[in-house]
Amino acid sequence: MISKLKNDRLLRALWREPVDATPIWIMRQAGRYLPEYRELRQRAGSFLALCQTPELACEATLQPLRRFELDAAILFSDILTVPDAMGLGLEIVEKHGPRFETPVRSRADIEKLAVPDPGSELRYVLDAIRLIRADLDGAVPLIGFAGSPWTIATYMVEGGPSKDYALIKGMLYADPASLHRLLAIVAEAVTVYLNAQIAAGVQVVQIFDTWGGILSPPAYGEFSLDYMQRIIAGLETDAGGTKVPVILFSKGCAPLAEQIADAGAAAVGVDWTADIGEVRRRIGNKAAVQGNLDPAVLYAPAEIIRREAASVLEAYGPHRGHVFNLGHGIQPGVDPDKVAVLVDAVHELSRSYHAS
Amino acid sequence: MISKLKNDRLLRALWREPVDATPIWIMRQAGRYLPEYRELRQRAGSFLALCQTPELACEATLQPLRRFELDAAILFSDILTVPDAMGLGLEIVEKHGPRFETPVRSRADIEKLAVPDPGSELRYVLDAIRLIRADLDGAVPLIGFAGSPWTIATYMVEGGPSKDYALIKGMLYADPASLHRLLAIVAEAVTVYLNAQIAAGVQVVQIFDTWGGILSPPAYGEFSLDYMQRIIAGLETDAGGTKVPVILFSKGCAPLAEQIADAGAAAVGVDWTADIGEVRRRIGNKAAVQGNLDPAVLYAPAEIIRREAASVLEAYGPHRGHVFNLGHGIQPGVDPDKVAVLVDAVHELSRSYHAS
């Protein structure tokens, strides 16, 4: 499968094979910082319509690749499509964020939930994947993704973004059995969904555990990592029998990188608050590492962007298994030209680390 | 000074001397979870009026001590009184948070700032301290506090709470010289302010670095820790010539605990996402450690609160220098009876670790 791609740097880095330059992709690379995205979003009428119309989702996915020499495409979608397909009634409220019409608050609410059939209820995602793969024509790999069960459950229980996560944490400490039941159902839904994405053509999978970092270390293991491990263990190979590498990104959890690597992830994603060199040393040969430039560096002049990119590359050093990324999604106010500076800097400045 | 207090557990623990039981106080222990606080806040008319009226601030400070066997009082105030005194025009907007009328956005804005004279511009805080000390009559020590320069500057530049800190981080990467200028002025203001608090009678000082954790490790050192170190170095002894211990709490920065201890803090505050036992081992004999129960544990039934408190005590082990606290401020929805459960559990369950 690697050999069929014109640019296989990402897959090579994920499997810790030699590369000519460090691959780079950017979380939320298809997004609001691009004027052509804003135009497309306008045309779609709403964010959800954009996600749910395969031709438009395909277009959004491909937009950043026309501008920048990125080493991967990532499916344009949202982690909350899964609970939406479970019947919670997702809406995106301007300047507020996602909101569920019927949040999950009780054991009875949980018992009513069913694992959606991706082939029907999330078919629009699978159709988008097939369109994107056809359009990419092997130029770069396509990354699929899902939210972690813990992160998805956080939104399902809180009903939207939260400042203190009082409801789900209340459940965690006061009624852990119910939370485990909820997480088991979501983990099953995510497993089935990611297998459908793989069957439709994604070549890499990232699990976004945006809220793993609000847990104490033992709670993270029990309520977040265990379920991600279960998902990874349940993933099938692609149509050609090839194993699909999983990038596991638990924001704020770099101190637990070794545990994350042990959960079966091909790569551990780390945010910018970690020292990526130290993470690599701790993980050793267990997994690749993805990260970890502070997204705010993209507000700086070009020479600072190059300097900070160089500093991340240097921290990682001349080792296999580095996938360059920001430590979190790109911010909407960034000038797209700065992204070109970053992508080119990573390719150019990393070559010396890979020469042998 | 220690011997004049009826309960000197906190000071002993901060100086890593033997204690009979682990001291406990709770961040935001005077606050919205208490019905008598909500009544007082109503009576004051606004949060700022409550902070700025010494009799009311004194009353708010003492309220939790009437209910719980806490080992310290903490001044009721706000970290944004300093930039307010610098003329930025603080207002607290319901359901939104603090907002500054004139945020600091340019070098010219920064050059206009002056260090306030606490004796006049923050006199209401010093008057409150004198009232509280008189009322406490040596029962427990009084903790004073200030925000860290980085955290205060974040609010000054963003103008209020922020999701992505685009403005201050833009300044950090694009114009670090201006940010350093701003931080130097705020550090000077905080030093003078804390010295005035000490002269008025606070016996311990905590620096709240709520937003230290949004920085990369090198940026944290350069833009946050260095300025806190400067403040600590500039603190004077109390009226009796006794050194006042400093607790430095950088939320999200436990991986950098050794550096924090090296900055001169008597104690390093850690949030609940860290393993407090591991932090203690890394710090060794350099400093005490404060923390770190997940505040959300207080939503659980009493037996779970006792179990989780026991688990923090066990993680710290039979060593000197533990100050029990939550890993962040107590949440407004907590039942006050749960706080009594926690305080009693810590005192009762910790005794075996201190018997010798």
Side-chain angles (χ1 to χ4, degrees), chain B residues 200-258:
Chain B
V202 306
Q203 292 141 304
V204 173
V205 156
Q206 173 152 322
I207 301 177
F208 284 89
D209 186 30
T210 316
W211 301 125
I214 64 167
L215 293 169
S216 70
Y220 172 75
E222 181 178 345
F223 296 94
S224 186
L225 189 58
D226 275 8
Y227 290 93
M228 295 192 283
Q229 182 161 20
R230 211 182 275 196
I231 290 166
I232 295 172
L235 291 187
E236 288 155 16
T237 56
D238 70 12
T242 304
K243 193 174 169 187
V244 173
V246 177
I247 305 164
L248 201 162
F249 177 60
S250 279
K251 184 158 180 280
C253 296
L256 307 169
E258 290 145 282

Short mmCIF file of all heavy atoms in Angstrom, two decimals, chain B residues 200-258:
data_model
loop_
_atom_site.label_atom_id
_atom_site.label_comp_id
_atom_site.label_asym_id
_atom_site.label_seq_id
_atom_site.Cartn_x
_atom_site.Cartn_y
_atom_site.Cartn_z
N ALA B 200 0.99 44.41 55.77
CA ALA B 200 -0.34 44.51 56.39
C ALA B 200 -0.68 43.26 57.20
O ALA B 200 -1.62 43.28 57.99
CB ALA B 200 -1.40 44.76 55.33
N GLY B 201 0.05 42.17 56.97
CA GLY B 201 -0.17 41.02 57.84
C GLY B 201 -0.36 39.64 57.23
O GLY B 201 -0.60 38.68 57.96
N VAL B 202 -0.26 39.48 55.90
CA VAL B 202 -0.41 38.11 55.39
C VAL B 202 0.82 37.29 55.76
O VAL B 202 1.93 37.80 55.84
CB VAL B 202 -0.68 38.04 53.86
CG1 VAL B 202 -1.88 38.90 53.48
CG2 VAL B 202 0.55 38.41 53.05
N GLN B 203 0.60 36.01 56.04
CA GLN B 203 1.69 35.17 56.57
C GLN B 203 2.21 34.15 55.56
O GLN B 203 3.21 33.48 55.79
CB GLN B 203 1.18 34.48 57.84
CG GLN B 203 0.95 35.49 58.96
CD GLN B 203 -0.28 35.19 59.79
OE1 GLN B 203 -1.39 35.09 59.26
NE2 GLN B 203 -0.09 35.05 61.10
N VAL B 204 1.50 34.02 54.47
CA VAL B 204 1.88 33.14 53.36
C VAL B 204 1.42 33.87 52.11
O VAL B 204 0.46 34.64 52.16
CB VAL B 204 1.14 31.77 53.45
CG1 VAL B 204 1.41 30.92 52.23
CG2 VAL B 204 1.51 31.03 54.73
N VAL B 205 2.11 33.61 50.99
CA VAL B 205 1.71 34.24 49.74
C VAL B 205 1.54 33.17 48.68
O VAL B 205 2.39 32.27 48.58
CB VAL B 205 2.79 35.27 49.30
CG1 VAL B 205 2.75 35.50 47.81
CG2 VAL B 205 2.62 36.58 50.06
N GLN B 206 0.46 33.21 47.93
CA GLN B 206 0.35 32.32 46.76
C GLN B 206 0.34 33.16 45.50
O GLN B 206 -0.37 34.17 45.41
CB GLN B 206 -0.89 31.43 46.82
CG GLN B 206 -1.08 30.62 45.52
CD GLN B 206 -1.81 29.31 45.67
OE1 GLN B 206 -1.63 28.60 46.66
NE2 GLN B 206 -2.64 28.96 44.71
N ILE B 207 1.13 32.73 44.52
CA ILE B 207 1.09 33.34 43.19
C ILE B 207 0.29 32.41 42.28
O ILE B 207 0.64 31.24 42.13
CB ILE B 207 2.51 33.58 42.63
CG1 ILE B 207 3.30 34.49 43.58
CG2 ILE B 207 2.44 34.19 41.23
CD1 ILE B 207 4.75 34.72 43.16
N PHE B 208 -0.80 32.94 41.73
CA PHE B 208 -1.67 32.15 40.84
C PHE B 208 -1.23 32.38 39.39
O PHE B 208 -1.41 33.46 38.85
CB PHE B 208 -3.13 32.59 40.98
CG PHE B 208 -3.81 32.10 42.23
CD1 PHE B 208 -3.77 32.85 43.39
CD2 PHE B 208 -4.50 30.90 42.24
CE1 PHE B 208 -4.41 32.41 44.55
CE2 PHE B 208 -5.14 30.45 43.39
CZ PHE B 208 -5.09 31.21 44.56
N ASP B 209 -0.68 31.32 38.81
CA ASP B 209 -0.29 31.41 37.40
C ASP B 209 -1.24 30.53 36.59
O ASP B 209 -0.86 29.49 36.04
CB ASP B 209 1.17 30.95 37.26
CG ASP B 209 1.69 31.15 35.84
OD1 ASP B 209 1.23 32.09 35.16
OD2 ASP B 209 2.55 30.36 35.42
N THR B 210 -2.47 30.98 36.53
CA THR B 210 -3.55 30.19 35.94
C THR B 210 -3.27 29.82 34.49
O THR B 210 -3.67 28.76 34.02
CB THR B 210 -4.86 30.98 36.02
OG1 THR B 210 -4.95 31.57 37.32
CG2 THR B 210 -6.06 30.10 35.79
N TRP B 211 -2.57 30.69 33.77
CA TRP B 211 -2.37 30.45 32.33
C TRP B 211 -0.93 30.09 31.97
O TRP B 211 -0.57 30.11 30.80
CB TRP B 211 -2.86 31.64 31.51
CG TRP B 211 -4.31 31.91 31.75
CD1 TRP B 211 -4.86 33.09 32.16
CD2 TRP B 211 -5.40 30.98 31.63
NE1 TRP B 211 -6.22 32.95 32.30
CE2 TRP B 211 -6.58 31.68 32.00
CE3 TRP B 211 -5.50 29.63 31.27
CZ2 TRP B 211 -7.84 31.07 31.99
CZ3 TRP B 211 -6.75 29.03 31.29
CH2 TRP B 211 -7.89 29.75 31.63
N GLY B 212 -0.11 29.76 32.96
CA GLY B 212 1.25 29.28 32.65
C GLY B 212 1.22 28.06 31.74
O GLY B 212 2.09 27.88 30.89
N GLY B 213 0.19 27.25 31.92
CA GLY B 213 0.10 25.98 31.19
C GLY B 213 -0.26 26.10 29.73
O GLY B 213 -0.33 25.09 29.03
N ILE B 214 -0.48 27.30 29.21
CA ILE B 214 -0.75 27.41 27.77
C ILE B 214 0.53 27.70 26.99
O ILE B 214 0.49 27.91 25.79
CB ILE B 214 -1.81 28.50 27.44
CG1 ILE B 214 -1.30 29.91 27.83
CG2 ILE B 214 -3.13 28.21 28.16
CD1 ILE B 214 -2.14 31.03 27.25
N LEU B 215 1.66 27.71 27.69
CA LEU B 215 2.94 28.03 27.05
C LEU B 215 3.76 26.77 26.80
O LEU B 215 3.67 25.79 27.55
CB LEU B 215 3.73 28.98 27.94
CG LEU B 215 3.13 30.37 28.11
CD1 LEU B 215 3.85 31.14 29.22
CD2 LEU B 215 3.22 31.14 26.79
N SER B 216 4.59 26.80 25.76
CA SER B 216 5.57 25.73 25.56
C SER B 216 6.59 25.82 26.70
O SER B 216 6.74 26.88 27.31
CB SER B 216 6.27 25.91 24.21
OG SER B 216 7.12 27.04 24.25
N PRO B 217 7.31 24.73 27.00
CA PRO B 217 8.25 24.79 28.13
C PRO B 217 9.27 25.94 28.05
O PRO B 217 9.45 26.66 29.03
CB PRO B 217 8.91 23.41 28.11
CG PRO B 217 7.88 22.51 27.50
CD PRO B 217 7.19 23.35 26.46
N PRO B 218 9.90 26.18 26.89
CA PRO B 218 10.84 27.33 26.89
C PRO B 218 10.13 28.67 27.08
O PRO B 218 10.63 29.56 27.78
CB PRO B 218 11.51 27.27 25.51
CG PRO B 218 11.03 26.05 24.84
CD PRO B 218 9.95 25.41 25.63
N ALA B 219 8.95 28.82 26.49
CA ALA B 219 8.21 30.08 26.64
C ALA B 219 7.75 30.24 28.08
O ALA B 219 7.73 31.35 28.62
CB ALA B 219 7.02 30.12 25.68
N TYR B 220 7.39 29.15 28.75
CA TYR B 220 6.99 29.23 30.15
C TYR B 220 8.16 29.77 30.99
O TYR B 220 7.97 30.66 31.82
CB TYR B 220 6.57 27.85 30.67
CG TYR B 220 6.35 27.83 32.16
CD1 TYR B 220 5.21 28.40 32.72
CD2 TYR B 220 7.30 27.26 33.02
CE1 TYR B 220 5.02 28.40 34.09
CE2 TYR B 220 7.11 27.27 34.39
CZ TYR B 220 5.98 27.84 34.93
OH TYR B 220 5.79 27.86 36.28
N GLY B 221 9.33 29.25 30.75
CA GLY B 221 10.50 29.73 31.50
C GLY B 221 10.74 31.21 31.27
O GLY B 221 10.92 31.98 32.21
N GLU B 222 10.70 31.60 30.00
CA GLU B 222 11.06 32.98 29.63
C GLU B 222 9.98 34.01 29.97
O GLU B 222 10.31 35.12 30.40
CB GLU B 222 11.36 33.03 28.13
CG GLU B 222 11.77 34.41 27.64
CD GLU B 222 12.10 34.45 26.15
OE1 GLU B 222 12.29 33.37 25.55
OE2 GLU B 222 12.15 35.57 25.59
N PHE B 223 8.71 33.64 29.79
CA PHE B 223 7.65 34.65 29.93
C PHE B 223 6.83 34.51 31.21
O PHE B 223 6.08 35.40 31.56
CB PHE B 223 6.73 34.62 28.70
CG PHE B 223 7.43 35.02 27.43
CD1 PHE B 223 7.98 34.05 26.58
CD2 PHE B 223 7.59 36.36 27.10
CE1 PHE B 223 8.65 34.42 25.42
CE2 PHE B 223 8.25 36.74 25.94
CZ PHE B 223 8.80 35.76 25.09
N SER B 224 6.95 33.39 31.89
CA SER B 224 6.20 33.27 33.13
C SER B 224 7.11 33.06 34.33
O SER B 224 7.17 33.89 35.23
CB SER B 224 5.14 32.17 33.04
OG SER B 224 4.35 32.20 34.22
N LEU B 225 7.85 31.95 34.35
CA LEU B 225 8.60 31.61 35.56
C LEU B 225 9.64 32.67 35.93
O LEU B 225 9.80 33.01 37.11
CB LEU B 225 9.26 30.23 35.39
CG LEU B 225 9.90 29.65 36.66
CD1 LEU B 225 8.89 29.53 37.79
CD2 LEU B 225 10.54 28.29 36.37
N ASP B 226 10.36 33.19 34.94
CA ASP B 226 11.40 34.18 35.24
C ASP B 226 10.84 35.37 36.02
O ASP B 226 11.49 35.89 36.92
CB ASP B 226 12.03 34.71 33.94
CG ASP B 226 13.16 33.79 33.47
OD1 ASP B 226 13.32 32.71 34.06
OD2 ASP B 226 13.84 34.16 32.50
N TYR B 227 9.64 35.79 35.65
CA TYR B 227 9.06 36.96 36.33
C TYR B 227 8.56 36.61 37.73
O TYR B 227 8.59 37.44 38.63
CB TYR B 227 7.96 37.59 35.45
CG TYR B 227 8.58 38.25 34.24
CD1 TYR B 227 8.72 37.58 33.04
CD2 TYR B 227 9.10 39.54 34.34
CE1 TYR B 227 9.33 38.17 31.94
CE2 TYR B 227 9.71 40.15 33.25
CZ TYR B 227 9.82 39.45 32.05
OH TYR B 227 10.44 40.05 30.98
N MET B 228 8.11 35.37 37.91
CA MET B 228 7.70 34.96 39.25
C MET B 228 8.92 34.85 40.16
O MET B 228 8.88 35.21 41.33
CB MET B 228 6.93 33.65 39.19
CG MET B 228 5.60 33.80 38.42
SD MET B 228 4.49 32.40 38.61
CE MET B 228 5.27 31.22 37.51
N GLN B 229 10.01 34.37 39.59
CA GLN B 229 11.26 34.27 40.33
C GLN B 229 11.72 35.67 40.78
O GLN B 229 12.15 35.86 41.92
CB GLN B 229 12.33 33.63 39.43
CG GLN B 229 13.67 33.44 40.09
CD GLN B 229 14.52 32.42 39.35
OE1 GLN B 229 14.29 32.13 38.17
NE2 GLN B 229 15.51 31.86 40.03
N ARG B 230 11.58 36.62 39.86
CA ARG B 230 11.94 38.00 40.16
C ARG B 230 11.10 38.53 41.33
O ARG B 230 11.60 39.22 42.21
CB ARG B 230 11.63 38.84 38.91
CG ARG B 230 12.52 40.03 38.71
CD ARG B 230 12.09 40.80 37.48
NE ARG B 230 12.65 40.28 36.24
CZ ARG B 230 12.64 41.00 35.10
NH1 ARG B 230 12.10 42.21 35.07
NH2 ARG B 230 13.16 40.51 34.01
N ILE B 231 9.81 38.21 41.32
CA ILE B 231 8.92 38.65 42.40
C ILE B 231 9.36 38.03 43.73
O ILE B 231 9.49 38.73 44.75
CB ILE B 231 7.46 38.26 42.09
CG1 ILE B 231 6.94 39.10 40.93
CG2 ILE B 231 6.57 38.43 43.33
CD1 ILE B 231 5.65 38.59 40.33
N ILE B 232 9.58 36.72 43.72
CA ILE B 232 9.96 36.03 44.95
C ILE B 232 11.24 36.64 45.52
O ILE B 232 11.36 36.89 46.73
CB ILE B 232 10.13 34.51 44.72
CG1 ILE B 232 8.78 33.90 44.34
CG2 ILE B 232 10.71 33.82 45.96
CD1 ILE B 232 8.85 32.44 43.88
N ALA B 233 12.20 36.92 44.63
CA ALA B 233 13.48 37.51 45.07
C ALA B 233 13.27 38.90 45.67
O ALA B 233 14.08 39.36 46.49
CB ALA B 233 14.45 37.58 43.90
N GLY B 234 12.20 39.58 45.27
CA GLY B 234 11.96 40.95 45.74
C GLY B 234 11.05 41.04 46.96
O GLY B 234 10.72 42.14 47.41
N LEU B 235 10.63 39.89 47.50
CA LEU B 235 9.73 39.95 48.66
C LEU B 235 10.50 40.23 49.94
O LEU B 235 11.61 39.72 50.15
CB LEU B 235 8.95 38.63 48.80
CG LEU B 235 7.92 38.36 47.71
CD1 LEU B 235 7.10 37.12 48.06
CD2 LEU B 235 7.00 39.55 47.48
N GLU B 236 9.88 41.05 50.77
CA GLU B 236 10.50 41.39 52.04
C GLU B 236 10.00 40.47 53.16
O GLU B 236 8.98 39.80 53.00
CB GLU B 236 10.19 42.86 52.36
CG GLU B 236 10.98 43.80 51.43
CD GLU B 236 10.33 45.16 51.24
OE1 GLU B 236 9.45 45.51 52.04
OE2 GLU B 236 10.72 45.86 50.29
N THR B 237 10.71 40.46 54.27
CA THR B 237 10.26 39.68 55.42
C THR B 237 9.08 40.41 56.07
O THR B 237 8.81 41.57 55.76
CB THR B 237 11.38 39.55 56.46
OG1 THR B 237 11.82 40.86 56.82
CG2 THR B 237 12.56 38.78 55.89
N ASP B 238 8.40 39.72 56.98
CA ASP B 238 7.28 40.39 57.65
C ASP B 238 7.82 41.34 58.74
O ASP B 238 9.04 41.47 58.91
CB ASP B 238 6.28 39.37 58.20
CG ASP B 238 6.84 38.58 59.38
OD1 ASP B 238 7.91 38.95 59.92
OD2 ASP B 238 6.19 37.59 59.76
N ALA B 239 6.90 41.99 59.47
CA ALA B 239 7.29 42.99 60.46
C ALA B 239 8.23 42.41 61.52
O ALA B 239 9.08 43.11 62.07
CB ALA B 239 6.04 43.57 61.12
N GLY B 240 8.11 41.11 61.79
CA GLY B 240 8.96 40.47 62.78
C GLY B 240 10.27 39.94 62.20
O GLY B 240 11.03 39.25 62.89
N GLY B 241 10.51 40.22 60.92
CA GLY B 241 11.75 39.76 60.30
C GLY B 241 11.69 38.32 59.80
O GLY B 241 12.71 37.73 59.42
N THR B 242 10.49 37.75 59.75
CA THR B 242 10.34 36.35 59.32
C THR B 242 10.09 36.29 57.81
O THR B 242 9.33 37.08 57.26
CB THR B 242 9.14 35.71 60.05
OG1 THR B 242 9.35 35.85 61.46
CG2 THR B 242 9.00 34.25 59.69
N LYS B 243 10.73 35.33 57.18
CA LYS B 243 10.53 35.12 55.75
C LYS B 243 9.14 34.55 55.50
O LYS B 243 8.68 33.66 56.23
CB LYS B 243 11.60 34.14 55.25
CG LYS B 243 11.70 34.06 53.76
CD LYS B 243 12.88 33.19 53.32
CE LYS B 243 12.77 32.92 51.83
NZ LYS B 243 13.77 31.95 51.36
N VAL B 244 8.48 35.07 54.51
CA VAL B 244 7.12 34.63 54.19
C VAL B 244 7.18 33.59 53.07
O VAL B 244 7.69 33.88 51.99
CB VAL B 244 6.26 35.84 53.78
CG1 VAL B 244 4.90 35.40 53.28
CG2 VAL B 244 6.13 36.82 54.94
N PRO B 245 6.66 32.39 53.32
CA PRO B 245 6.75 31.35 52.29
C PRO B 245 5.83 31.64 51.10
O PRO B 245 4.72 32.14 51.27
CB PRO B 245 6.31 30.07 53.01
CG PRO B 245 5.51 30.53 54.18
CD PRO B 245 6.03 31.89 54.56
N VAL B 246 6.31 31.29 49.91
CA VAL B 246 5.55 31.51 48.68
C VAL B 246 5.13 30.16 48.09
O VAL B 246 5.96 29.27 47.92
CB VAL B 246 6.39 32.28 47.64
CG1 VAL B 246 5.61 32.44 46.33
CG2 VAL B 246 6.81 33.64 48.19
N ILE B 247 3.84 30.06 47.79
CA ILE B 247 3.32 28.90 47.05
C ILE B 247 3.15 29.36 45.61
O ILE B 247 2.49 30.36 45.35
CB ILE B 247 1.95 28.45 47.60
CG1 ILE B 247 2.03 28.17 49.10
CG2 ILE B 247 1.45 27.23 46.84
CD1 ILE B 247 0.64 28.09 49.78
N LEU B 248 3.77 28.63 44.70
CA LEU B 248 3.67 29.02 43.29
C LEU B 248 2.83 27.98 42.57
O LEU B 248 3.20 26.80 42.51
CB LEU B 248 5.09 29.11 42.73
CG LEU B 248 5.26 29.94 41.47
CD1 LEU B 248 6.72 30.31 41.30
CD2 LEU B 248 4.78 29.15 40.29
N PHE B 249 1.70 28.42 42.05
CA PHE B 249 0.77 27.50 41.39
C PHE B 249 0.64 27.86 39.92
O PHE B 249 -0.05 28.79 39.55
CB PHE B 249 -0.61 27.56 42.07
CG PHE B 249 -1.66 26.70 41.42
CD1 PHE B 249 -1.49 25.33 41.30
CD2 PHE B 249 -2.83 27.26 40.92
CE1 PHE B 249 -2.46 24.53 40.70
CE2 PHE B 249 -3.81 26.46 40.32
CZ PHE B 249 -3.62 25.10 40.21
N SER B 250 1.35 27.10 39.09
CA SER B 250 1.22 27.25 37.63
C SER B 250 0.36 26.10 37.14
O SER B 250 0.84 24.96 37.04
CB SER B 250 2.59 27.20 36.95
OG SER B 250 3.25 28.43 37.02
N LYS B 251 -0.89 26.38 36.84
CA LYS B 251 -1.79 25.30 36.44
C LYS B 251 -1.28 24.64 35.15
O LYS B 251 -0.93 25.32 34.20
CB LYS B 251 -3.20 25.86 36.22
CG LYS B 251 -4.22 24.80 35.89
CD LYS B 251 -5.62 25.28 36.20
CE LYS B 251 -6.62 24.18 35.85
NZ LYS B 251 -6.90 24.13 34.40
N GLY B 252 -1.23 23.31 35.17
CA GLY B 252 -0.80 22.57 33.99
C GLY B 252 0.69 22.43 33.84
O GLY B 252 1.18 21.96 32.82
N CYS B 253 1.46 22.85 34.84
CA CYS B 253 2.92 22.88 34.70
C CYS B 253 3.63 21.89 35.61
O CYS B 253 4.84 22.04 35.85
CB CYS B 253 3.44 24.29 34.94
SG CYS B 253 2.85 25.44 33.68
N ALA B 254 2.95 20.88 36.12
CA ALA B 254 3.61 19.93 37.01
C ALA B 254 4.84 19.28 36.38
O ALA B 254 5.81 19.00 37.10
CB ALA B 254 2.62 18.86 37.49
N PRO B 255 4.86 19.03 35.05
CA PRO B 255 6.09 18.46 34.48
C PRO B 255 7.31 19.37 34.70
O PRO B 255 8.44 18.90 34.58
CB PRO B 255 5.76 18.32 32.99
CG PRO B 255 4.27 18.20 32.93
CD PRO B 255 3.77 19.07 34.06
N LEU B 256 7.09 20.63 35.00
CA LEU B 256 8.20 21.57 35.20
C LEU B 256 8.40 21.88 36.68
O LEU B 256 9.02 22.89 37.04
CB LEU B 256 7.92 22.85 34.41
CG LEU B 256 7.60 22.63 32.93
CD1 LEU B 256 7.08 23.89 32.27
CD2 LEU B 256 8.84 22.12 32.18
N ALA B 257 7.92 21.01 37.57
CA ALA B 257 7.94 21.28 39.00
C ALA B 257 9.35 21.56 39.55
O ALA B 257 9.52 22.40 40.45
CB ALA B 257 7.31 20.11 39.76
N GLU B 258 10.36 20.89 39.00
CA GLU B 258 11.72 21.12 39.53
C GLU B 258 12.18 22.55 39.27
O GLU B 258 12.75 23.20 40.13
CB GLU B 258 12.72 20.14 38.89
CG GLU B 258 12.52 18.71 39.35
CD GLU B 258 12.82 17.73 38.24
OE1 GLU B 258 11.94 17.56 37.36
OE2 GLU B 258 13.92 17.14 38.24
#
